[in-house]
Amino acid sequence: MDRLLRSSFLSNLFAYLKYRYFLQDIEFNEDISMYEDLFSNGQRVFHGVLLDDEGNLLKDNQEPENNCLEDFLLKQRN
């Protein structure tokens, strides 16, 4: 998977992490390039968020609120 395609998939992860950390009042200033490399090497869990091989968000093991990931995904669809 090329870098641009990985970035588009991982942008969902970054948007969610920013949202989650905003809810927790924690600053999130990570660099997506580090995640691209880890994702390319097979890592699928980032900050407790599980992704599938296409980069879709599946589960958050560290949700600050019940249904945080589900609520985020619903907002993204609308």
Side-chain angles (χ1 to χ4, degrees):
M1 184 181 295
D2 69 33
R3 185 173 285 266
L4 182 60
L5 190 53
R6 285 194 312 265
S7 290
S8 67
F9 287 124
L10 292 178
S11 67
N12 290 330
L13 171 65
F14 260 58
Y16 174 66
L17 289 175
K18 286 180 182 181
Y19 170 74
R20 188 178 86 179
Y21 285 118
F22 171 78
L23 293 176
Q24 296 174 289
D25 198 27
I26 299 171
E27 195 168 322
F28 182 76
N29 292 321
E30 302 271 336
D31 182 4
I32 197 168
S33 63
M34 177 183 76
Y35 290 77
E36 291 169 339
D37 294 339
L38 293 169
F39 186 82
S40 292
N41 289 319
Q43 184 167 332
R44 296 296 181 265
V45 179
F46 300 90
H47 298 270
V49 180
L50 174 65
L51 300 129
D52 65 13
D53 289 340
E54 284 78 44
N56 297 304
L57 308 176
L58 300 176
K59 183 177 179 181
D60 182 357
N61 294 319
Q62 299 176 7
E63 288 184 315
E65 303 172 354
N66 287 336
N67 301 316
C68 186
L69 178 58
E70 184 178 332
D71 291 345
F72 173 80
L73 293 173
L74 284 172
K75 289 176 186 176
Q76 294 291 65
R77 288 185 201 130
N78 295 327

